[in-house]
Amino acid sequence: MREITYEQAGTEAILEEMRRDPRTFHLATDAPPPLLAEFGPQRVRATPIAESALTGIAVGAAGSGFRPIVNWSQVTFAFVAMDQIVNQAAKIHYMFGGQVTFPMVFRAQVGGGTRRAAQHSQSPYSMFMNVAGLKILLPSTPADLKGLLKTAVRDDNPVISFESGRLGGLVGPVPDGDHTIPLGKADVKRAGTDVTIVAFAWLVHEALAAAEALAAEGISAEVVDPRTLVPFDVDAVRASVRKTGHLLVADEAGPTAGASAEVAALVTEDPETFAALRAPVRRVCALQVPIPYSPGLEDHVFPDRRKIADGVRAMLSGARAA
Amino acid sequence: MREITYEQAGTEAILEEMRRDPRTFHLATDAPPPLLAEFGPQRVRATPIAESALTGIAVGAAGSGFRPIVNWSQVTFAFVAMDQIVNQAAKIHYMFGGQVTFPMVFRAQVGGGTRRAAQHSQSPYSMFMNVAGLKILLPSTPADLKGLLKTAVRDDNPVISFESGRLGGLVGPVPDGDHTIPLGKADVKRAGTDVTIVAFAWLVHEALAAAEALAAEGISAEVVDPRTLVPFDVDAVRASVRKTGHLLVADEAGPTAGASAEVAALVTEDPETFAALRAPVRRVCALQVPIPYSPGLEDHVFPDRRKIADGVRAMLSGARAA
Amino acid sequence: MSTPSPELQREMLRQMQTIRRFEERASDDFRAGDIYGVVHSYIGEEAVAVGVCAALERRDQIISTHRGHGHCIAKGADLNRMMAELYGRATGYCKGKGGSMHIADFEIGMLGANGIVAGGIPIVTGAGLAAQLEGEGRVAVAFFGDGASNAGPFHESVNIAAAWKLPMIYVCENNLYAVQTPAAKSLAQPDVASRAAGYGIPGVVVDGNDVLAVHAAATAAVARARAGDGPTILECKTYRWRAHTERPNQPDSRPADEIAAWKQKDPIGRLVAHLQAQQGQLTEDEWQAMDAAILAAIEDSVAFAKASPFPTPESALEDVFAD
Amino acid sequence: MSTPSPELQREMLRQMQTIRRFEERASDDFRAGDIYGVVHSYIGEEAVAVGVCAALERRDQIISTHRGHGHCIAKGADLNRMMAELYGRATGYCKGKGGSMHIADFEIGMLGANGIVAGGIPIVTGAGLAAQLEGEGRVAVAFFGDGASNAGPFHESVNIAAAWKLPMIYVCENNLYAVQTPAAKSLAQPDVASRAAGYGIPGVVVDGNDVLAVHAAATAAVARARAGDGPTILECKTYRWRAHTERPNQPDSRPADEIAAWKQKDPIGRLVAHLQAQQGQLTEDEWQAMDAAILAAIEDSVAFAKASPFPTPESALEDVFAD
Ligand SMILES: Cc1ncc(C[n+]2csc(CCOP(=O)(O)OP(=O)(O)O)c2C)c(N)n1
Ligand SMILES: Cc1ncc(C[n+]2csc(CCOP(=O)(O)OP(=O)(O)O)c2C)c(N)n1
Ligand SMILES: [Mg+2]
Ligand SMILES: [Mg+2]
């Protein structure tokens, strides 16, 4: 299969969908050269730095029959547009009784590791999960990003694609042709029997590395990648935990009211899965602090393969002890 | 003890603290008459409708030695100020290495029941919990509101006081004198032995009503009111659950990545508490939808005493069955 | 200044009076407990919505504010579905999910009332961008208050529309107050339209209680937008007669003589007088008959609302997502 | 136009050259991997920070942008602690927590660089409000780019400052681009300062590469602010010599001849020429000695940074909250 980077996969998805549907157009504070070259400045607009307006413009254009694609660049720039996301995009279909649809896609980079400090390093996807009316992607591979993003552009709802800044250069196979992936289907990235690791985006790869290390110790870890946060494939996660009896959630965001908390709650509130749990759920997340600049500080804050593997070991030894 | 309303308690807290410290001042799109009458238009400013600027103005004034108090009115109006909250207020002390302090208080009404539909009815406190660097109040009684708010004004950090719109007219006793309550101390609003109900704000009262009904059936429910979400009194909640073996979390917000999810996770990730759990954790929350206007729709969406009591019954019967 | 035909003037009168009667009824029924939540009355400002919308075609789009009933009616919304929405019924525009602050009718290009001050301005600017991309000469209109003009989204939107020459009209309904706060305390400059020059676009101030003046200014702005010459800020000086909302005991600190003086400038009375002064264009009987027909239509809308079912509780779960 | 003393002129020259040498070193060390994350170079724009800050007192406050080193130096920041911050050391201004985009020194009234475009404008307006509440004649200055002038917080802040007559100066560093986007495509009007009239305040445009012109305009604006007459928008036309950031392969589509033309207008060269043209005010030797001293100070700052420890990993948990 063809191998391309995560970043290229995102661009390809947009290029293909813009070719497919003339009602799509692109807004961002920069006009990405490949899009501009192919579709011109009418459909590929470099906007003033006014994310609140450009997000609202997407809402209005969507309600007028278009399918806008907005790239906020860093998720941090989306906070100035929060009213348009939370109060307008997410609620407008519902509060107007479903009169028309509002198809729109927002892309935003999340995560850290770039030494850009607190404002430019964040992973606030759980804030958007809390808002009813938004679909949310969080892909971990080029193929997933491309397939989910293409589906998102065709979806009739606001969809936010959170894309890991750390994965931009990651190379991976991407199927040829019109590759789409339905929203709400988790992907078991590695099968296992002793412990379920639910991981998001960059941490999927760290979890896979941890699983590899654990395998050498005779521990069989299953790595489940939910791929989308809304809709969330709760069945797949619960099924895995019912099989393994152990759940570790790995997230680049801080734990407090994070996606990791939601996964823990979804698992422990299901009677059958709860009954199958043989150890406390464990969250391996960023420390609950703003992200610092200096490399040693930043690395200390984030979870990684080592912390995941240690977490699994502690969990399994604890479980055996209990 | 003197009895006043929740709303009066909030006003009293601000009046007393503004008297106490001349470095306090008040910003809101309206100037509350009792504050204006006492402190005049220099310290009590009616601002243009520009919540982003006025939130940032609070940050800058705080960094310049003042102690601003901002009333956003409905929390929904805070979304236009989200960048100033998330990227500036929350992070500024940390990312500048603690050079100076940024004492400021933001007040915002949350909740529904007012038939004001999706934009004016929301309880998004978990979004703010997810951001490191903000302290968060969610009081349920006039005494708690007054005591916590007074502490908040004296705190050297940004504090958001989420105040339940449904409780504005609630009358309750408030101690005389300089009544303050430390942040991070839960209050057991009713002691019990069979089940722990963690409830927030308005739902504390619904939980108490449910507990009353359950008592008649021989079920002893303990109602724990965390009172502040950050810092969160995890010890009190875990201690209660270790005693009762059962946890129900009642929240006027939707469940997804909500405060309720965080409580569930905090409880189930603690080995000792997990071991004591005799039934799956249960969340009794709003449905995960925008809040609709028509009374029958809105009432259907929210949790209440009946849903809490039903949840407890189902949980205990399930547990017995297990 | 283009002079609209007597027919169009009578139609504008009919619309203004429909708004007024609708608002009177909405206030009454709100107090009676049949309408819930919050109602913001447009009485006194009718000439703005009507004068502007009379300059528009059906395909043109508008967006409104928290004070939205007048814009709906002026754009041609169905009174029955409006009243049913206020009554929280399944037959309402939003199936009872929206209420007063969220009435929309996308069929007629009414993109909704909005509970967030200035929240609609970027959205309708997106409709303007859609119009430009389509290239068929549609225009889009933002209605917003003096208070909204101080909010960031106003600035961001007008600047983009100016830079991109979007076919937009930004209609500021300057009723001199935002809740209790006088515009004079929130703006160092009395005219919102004076900001237009900084964006390189025309800024026009009109008497917002003179529907013919509003209509003429709007017609010019629409022509400019349709021609591809970009946006206009059209500021209409007007006044609301009632308190900010219909909530009982809503404080209203505006001077009584100020309110009384503005009532003298009643936009409806002025158009009636104008038409009557022009021999044969509106007899007192015709005017009475027009009003009676309007009252009957409002009565019908209430009957329709009352006869309509409430939505089923379970329908609260519908429309979160389009399938 | 007030003419600064030769001493002050030489001091401004020293500051501009310090900024330039600091930026050169920061770029080099970023490429060498000793400085992390992102660095935005201020080279070419030195006259703006220096001209404005020379009109201020130590107690006055400023806020900066993502392109913040120049403002720090002009306000009097310590080079050692700046460089140590870029190097991520515990001795840096932010103990290694902030880096290039977040250097602040509240002691000298430098309220911080800011990674969010326009994010600092409301914050420093709060410093202006604090100054007004204190009533001791302090002023506050917002530095921001042409790009930031299109963002909502700019509008909201300037409007409030105008309505409240806050002692503020809003200094737009119009370097004609926001990343790759020409200001000419984001504004329908070339002058950001032309927006001032809409707020009822003065808007002044100056040659931002002429430090004396900047200083004169800033002095007038500061006097106005101190007198309680409210804010000014001061727009300085300037240009950045380097790409938007120091990231290798950062695209830069600006025309080569445009860049070359602006380099001809070098603010430092201009002041040197001006001083040398004035008999005895700066000999070539003095100028060389000044530069050598500056280079030595920069060298010292690097040595200081390199000799400083990295923060302990555990200190990442400190300073989330003040106790
Ligand atoms: C962002 C935001 N802040 C505050 C409010 C509360 N609010 C509702 S209407 C209003 C006043 C609006 O004034 P204006 O724009 O002049 O419109 P008018 O009510 O005068 O028609 C305010 C402050 C809101 N809805 N949205
Ligand atoms: C709200 C926001 N949107 C986007 C960005 C990304 N960004 C960083 S600098 C910049 C350009 C800023 O242009 P300008 O204000 O003219 O300042 P200059 O870089 O020219 O000094 C952009 C878009 C950001 N930091 N913040
Ligand atoms: Mg108004
Ligand atoms: Mg620029």
Side-chain angles (χ1 to χ4, degrees):
Chain A
M1 220 183 290
R2 208 165 47 99
E3 303 238 329
I4 58 175
T5 66
Y6 188 83
E7 206 174 289
Q8 286 168 329
T11 304
E12 266 192 22
I14 302 303
L15 280 168
E16 289 178 17
E17 293 306 304
M18 285 188 69
R19 273 175 213 141
R20 197 172 164 273
D21 190 341
R23 295 247 137 191
T24 54
F25 66 90
H26 194 269
L27 296 176
T29 58
D30 255 352
L35 298 185
L36 185 62
E38 182 162 343
F39 303 107
Q42 277 293 98
R43 282 179 70 197
V44 180
R45 301 212 172 203
T47 73
I49 305 170
E51 285 83 357
S52 173
L54 73 92
T55 302
I57 285 173
V59 176
S64 306
F66 282 81
R67 305 184 81 85
I69 300 165
V70 173
N71 195 330
W72 287 320
S73 180
Q74 309 291 319
V75 68
T76 190
F77 310 148
F79 288 116
V80 295
M82 206 65 173
D83 174 66
Q84 288 295 332
I85 304 164
V86 170
N87 278 326
Q88 316 293 345
K91 296 181 172 46
I92 200 165
H93 183 258
Y94 185 86
M95 73 192 174
F96 293 161
Q99 286 183 33
V100 293
T101 57
F102 293 88
M104 49 193 141
V105 170
F106 301 101
R107 300 177 66 193
Q109 268 185 37
V110 292
T114 57
R115 320 308 186 199
R116 292 192 183 190
Q119 291 179 333
H120 277 64
S121 311
Q122 31 196 349
S123 303
Y125 20 82
S126 71
M127 296 171 74
F128 300 83
M129 293 171 73
N130 188 244
V131 180
L134 302 171
K135 296 189 178 181
I136 302 178
L137 320 180
L138 187 52
S140 68
T141 66
D144 286 353
L145 172 56
K146 181 168 180 187
L148 291 168
L149 203 47
K150 282 169 64 78
T151 304
V153 177
R154 300 181 202 179
D155 197 287
D156 275 341
N157 297 283
V159 183
I160 305 179
S161 177
F162 287 115
E163 302 173 16
S164 169
R166 301 201 201 232
L167 296 178
L170 178 86
V171 173
V174 173
D176 287 327
D178 189 27
H179 167 62
T180 61
I181 299 175
L183 311 190
K185 289 271 162 261
D187 186 38
V188 176
K189 287 279 193 289
R190 176 187 176 118
T193 52
D194 297 334
V195 58
T196 299
I197 305 176
V198 171
F200 304 108
W202 168 62
L203 281 169
V204 169
H205 304 277
E206 293 298 298
L208 288 169
E212 200 64 39
L214 292 166
E217 302 164 26
I219 299 172
S220 165
E222 175 147 308
V223 178
V224 180
D225 176 0
R227 300 201 291 194
T228 63
L229 296 174
V230 180
F232 187 83
D233 192 350
V234 63
D235 293 341
V237 170
R238 285 179 179 160
S240 175
V241 176
R242 282 202 296 271
K243 180 173 73 178
T244 64
H246 296 91
L247 172 64
L248 182 149
V249 192
D251 190 3
E252 198 177 348
T256 307
S260 63
E262 179 61 22
V263 174
L266 286 172
V267 160
T268 54
E269 72 190 0
D270 179 55
E272 216 184 310
T273 315
F274 178 76
L277 261 185
R278 290 166 51 214
V281 173
R282 190 173 279 254
R283 291 187 283 177
V284 176
C285 298
L287 301 178
Q288 189 71 22
V289 301
I291 305 305
Y293 162 68
S294 194
L297 294 176
E298 186 177 28
D299 292 343
H300 181 69
V301 164
F302 284 117
D304 58 15
R305 57 191 68 187
R306 190 183 52 73
K307 291 180 193 169
I308 294 171
D310 284 349
V312 167
R313 289 183 198 107
M315 180 186 253
L316 292 181
S317 67
R320 276 172 204 141
Chain B
M1 223 183 290
R2 210 164 46 99
E3 304 238 327
I4 58 175
T5 65
Y6 188 84
E7 206 174 289
Q8 286 167 330
T11 305
E12 268 192 19
I14 302 303
L15 281 168
E16 290 178 15
E17 293 306 304
M18 285 188 70
R19 271 174 216 143
R20 200 173 160 273
D21 190 340
R23 295 249 137 189
T24 54
F25 66 90
H26 194 269
L27 297 175
T29 59
D30 254 353
L35 299 185
L36 185 62
E38 183 162 343
F39 303 106
Q42 277 294 97
R43 282 180 69 197
V44 179
R45 302 214 171 202
T47 74
I49 304 170
E51 285 83 357
S52 172
L54 72 92
T55 302
I57 285 172
V59 176
S64 306
F66 283 80
R67 305 185 81 85
I69 300 164
V70 172
N71 196 330
W72 288 319
S73 180
Q74 310 289 319
V75 67
T76 189
F77 311 148
F79 289 116
V80 296
M82 207 67 173
D83 173 65
Q84 289 294 333
I85 305 163
V86 170
N87 278 327
Q88 315 294 346
K91 296 182 171 48
I92 199 165
H93 183 259
Y94 186 86
M95 72 193 175
F96 292 161
Q99 286 185 32
V100 293
T101 57
F102 293 88
M104 49 193 141
V105 171
F106 301 101
R107 300 178 65 192
Q109 269 185 36
V110 292
T114 57
R115 320 309 187 200
R116 292 191 182 190
Q119 290 179 333
H120 277 65
S121 311
Q122 30 198 348
S123 302
Y125 20 83
S126 71
M127 297 171 73
F128 300 83
M129 292 169 74
N130 187 244
V131 180
L134 302 171
K135 295 190 179 181
I136 302 179
L137 321 180
L138 187 52
S140 69
T141 66
D144 286 352
L145 172 56
K146 182 169 179 187
L148 292 168
L149 204 48
K150 281 168 64 77
T151 305
V153 176
R154 300 181 202 178
D155 196 286
D156 275 341
N157 297 283
V159 183
I160 305 179
S161 176
F162 288 115
E163 302 171 16
S164 169
R166 301 199 201 234
L167 297 177
L170 178 85
V171 173
V174 173
D176 287 327
D178 189 26
H179 166 63
T180 61
I181 298 174
L183 312 190
K185 288 273 163 257
D187 186 38
V188 176
K189 287 279 194 286
R190 178 188 175 117
T193 52
D194 297 334
V195 59
T196 299
I197 306 178
V198 171
F200 304 109
W202 168 62
L203 281 168
V204 169
H205 304 276
E206 293 298 299
L208 288 169
E212 199 64 39
L214 291 165
E217 300 164 28
I219 298 173
S220 166
E222 176 148 307
V223 178
V224 180
D225 176 0
R227 301 201 292 193
T228 62
L229 295 174
V230 180
F232 188 83
D233 191 350
V234 63
D235 293 340
V237 170
R238 285 179 179 160
S240 176
V241 175
R242 283 202 294 273
K243 179 173 73 177
T244 65
H246 296 91
L247 172 64
L248 182 148
V249 192
D251 190 3
E252 198 176 348
T256 306
S260 63
E262 180 61 21
V263 175
L266 287 172
V267 160
T268 54
E269 70 190 1
D270 180 54
E272 216 184 311
T273 315
F274 178 76
L277 261 186
R278 291 165 51 214
V281 172
R282 190 172 278 255
R283 290 187 284 177
V284 177
C285 297
L287 301 177
Q288 188 71 20
V289 302
I291 305 305
Y293 163 68
S294 193
L297 293 177
E298 186 177 28
D299 292 343
H300 182 69
V301 164
F302 283 116
D304 58 15
R305 57 191 70 187
R306 191 184 52 72
K307 291 179 193 169
I308 294 170
D310 285 351
V312 168
R313 289 184 198 108
M315 177 186 256
L316 292 182
S317 66
R320 278 172 202 142
Chain C
M1 175 163 150
S2 70
T3 316
S5 67
E7 291 70 36
L8 180 52
Q9 291 188 41
R10 278 195 297 269
E11 176 55 19
M12 291 199 280
L13 177 64
R14 202 187 56 73
Q15 284 183 17
M16 290 200 290
Q17 184 70 355
T18 304
I19 293 171
R20 180 152 308 173
R21 293 302 194 187
F22 186 92
E23 294 297 53
E24 287 169 358
R25 185 60 186 254
S27 296
D28 287 349
D29 294 4
F30 176 79
R31 268 141 223 262
D34 291 325
I35 295 174
Y36 317 94
V38 66
V39 163
H40 301 87
S41 170
Y42 196 65
I43 289 180
E45 311 185 23
E46 298 90 346
V48 182
V50 170
V52 170
C53 290
L56 300 179
E57 300 173 9
R58 184 184 160 97
R59 63 181 180 141
D60 296 327
Q61 292 169 293
I62 68 168
I63 212 159
S64 175
T65 66
H66 53 287
R67 199 176 300 289
H69 308 162
H71 307 121
C72 290
I73 292 172
K75 194 69 175 63
D78 178 59
L79 298 182
N80 288 4
R81 293 180 67 195
M82 282 181 68
M83 195 61 88
E85 186 59 34
L86 296 187
Y87 268 70
R89 308 299 164 121
T91 53
Y93 265 117
C94 311
K95 304 180 189 163
K97 288 201 170 84
S100 170
M101 273 191 297
H102 306 297
I103 301 186
D105 183 354
F106 279 70
E107 286 278 308
I108 59 167
M110 160 58 195
L111 306 189
N114 205 306
I116 307 299
V117 167
I121 304 177
I123 299 176
V124 74
T125 303
L129 174 57
Q132 186 182 68
L133 289 170
E134 276 167 5
E136 289 167 10
R138 258 191 318 114
V139 308
V141 179
F143 288 100
F144 59 96
D146 49 292
S149 80
N150 300 318
F154 162 81
H155 168 71
E156 295 188 356
S157 301
V158 174
N159 180 59
I160 289 176
W164 294 358
K165 289 198 181 301
L166 297 184
M168 295 289 313
I169 300 112
Y170 293 94
V171 179
C172 180
E173 309 187 306
N174 188 343
N175 62 8
L176 308 185
Y177 290 88
V179 194
Q180 301 268 63
T181 308
K185 296 217 167 164
S186 290
L187 293 103
Q189 238 284 9
D191 295 341
V192 171
S194 71
R195 299 201 184 128
Y199 304 109
I201 60 172
V204 180
V205 179
V206 291
D207 178 347
N209 282 24
D210 178 349
V211 72
L212 299 178
V214 173
H215 178 259
T219 301
V222 167
R224 183 181 147 80
R226 280 206 216 290
D229 294 335
T232 300
I233 295 179
L234 173 55
E235 178 176 5
C236 304
K237 306 280 192 187
T238 186
Y239 202 79
R240 70 172 146 73
W241 287 12
R242 303 177 62 92
H244 175 62
T245 84
E246 295 303 304
R247 183 156 60 96
N249 309 320
Q250 168 87 24
D252 189 352
S253 56
R254 298 176 304 165
D257 57 348
E258 182 181 282
I259 300 176
W262 276 95
K263 285 192 177 171
Q264 293 304 313
K265 302 189 217 166
D266 177 14
I268 294 177
R270 273 164 80 172
L271 183 56
V272 169
H274 177 80
L275 281 165
Q276 291 188 338
Q278 294 168 282
Q279 178 76 25
Q281 284 181 11
L282 187 76
T283 66
E284 185 58 29
D285 280 358
E286 282 169 340
W287 171 222
Q288 294 304 333
M290 183 188 283
D291 189 34
I294 288 167
L295 281 168
I298 304 274
E299 201 56 55
D300 283 354
S301 74
V302 171
F304 173 82
K306 287 189 172 165
S308 295
F310 282 104
T312 61
E314 297 69 34
S315 68
L317 284 159
E318 297 164 5
D319 295 324
V320 180
F321 291 112
D323 344 272
Chain D
M1 176 161 154
S2 69
T3 315
S5 66
E7 291 70 37
L8 180 53
Q9 291 188 41
R10 278 195 296 268
E11 175 56 17
M12 292 199 281
L13 177 64
R14 204 187 54 73
Q15 285 183 17
M16 290 200 290
Q17 184 71 354
T18 304
I19 294 172
R20 180 150 310 170
R21 293 302 194 188
F22 187 93
E23 294 297 53
E24 287 168 358
R25 186 60 187 251
S27 296
D28 287 349
D29 293 4
F30 177 78
R31 268 141 223 261
D34 290 324
I35 295 174
Y36 318 93
V38 65
V39 163
H40 300 87
S41 169
Y42 196 65
I43 291 182
E45 311 185 23
E46 297 90 346
V48 181
V50 170
V52 170
C53 291
L56 301 178
E57 300 173 11
R58 184 183 159 97
R59 63 182 180 141
D60 297 326
Q61 292 169 292
I62 68 167
I63 211 160
S64 176
T65 67
H66 53 287
R67 199 176 298 291
H69 308 163
H71 308 121
C72 289
I73 292 172
K75 195 68 177 62
D78 178 59
L79 298 182
N80 289 4
R81 293 180 67 195
M82 283 181 68
M83 195 61 88
E85 187 59 34
L86 297 186
Y87 268 71
R89 307 301 164 120
T91 55
Y93 265 118
C94 311
K95 304 180 189 162
K97 289 201 170 85
S100 170
M101 274 192 294
H102 306 295
I103 300 187
D105 182 355
F106 279 69
E107 287 277 308
I108 59 165
M110 160 59 196
L111 306 189
N114 205 306
I116 308 300
V117 167
I121 304 177
I123 299 175
V124 74
T125 303
L129 174 58
Q132 186 181 69
L133 290 170
E134 276 167 6
E136 289 166 12
R138 257 192 320 114
V139 307
V141 178
F143 288 99
F144 58 97
D146 48 291
S149 80
N150 301 318
F154 162 80
H155 167 72
E156 295 188 356
S157 301
V158 175
N159 180 60
I160 289 175
W164 295 357
K165 290 199 183 298
L166 297 183
M168 296 289 314
I169 301 114
Y170 293 94
V171 179
C172 180
E173 309 186 306
N174 188 343
N175 62 7
L176 309 183
Y177 290 88
V179 193
Q180 300 270 63
T181 307
K185 296 216 167 163
S186 290
L187 292 103
Q189 240 282 10
D191 294 341
V192 171
S194 72
R195 298 200 184 129
Y199 304 109
I201 61 171
V204 180
V205 179
V206 290
D207 178 346
N209 282 25
D210 178 348
V211 72
L212 299 178
V214 172
H215 179 258
T219 302
V222 168
R224 184 181 147 80
R226 281 208 216 287
D229 294 335
T232 299
I233 295 179
L234 173 55
E235 178 177 5
C236 305
K237 306 281 192 187
T238 186
Y239 202 79
R240 69 172 146 75
W241 287 12
R242 302 178 62 93
H244 175 62
T245 84
E246 295 303 304
R247 184 157 60 96
N249 309 319
Q250 168 88 23
D252 190 353
S253 56
R254 298 176 305 166
D257 56 348
E258 182 180 283
I259 300 176
W262 276 94
K263 286 191 177 173
Q264 293 305 314
K265 302 189 218 166
D266 178 14
I268 295 177
R270 275 165 78 173
L271 184 56
V272 169
H274 176 79
L275 283 165
Q276 293 189 337
Q278 293 170 278
Q279 177 77 27
Q281 285 181 10
L282 187 76
T283 66
E284 185 59 27
D285 280 355
E286 282 170 341
W287 171 222
Q288 294 305 333
M290 184 188 282
D291 189 34
I294 289 167
L295 281 168
I298 305 272
E299 202 55 56
D300 284 353
S301 75
V302 171
F304 174 82
K306 287 189 173 164
S308 296
F310 282 104
T312 62
E314 298 68 34
S315 69
L317 283 159
E318 297 163 7
D319 294 325
V320 179
F321 290 112
D323 342 275

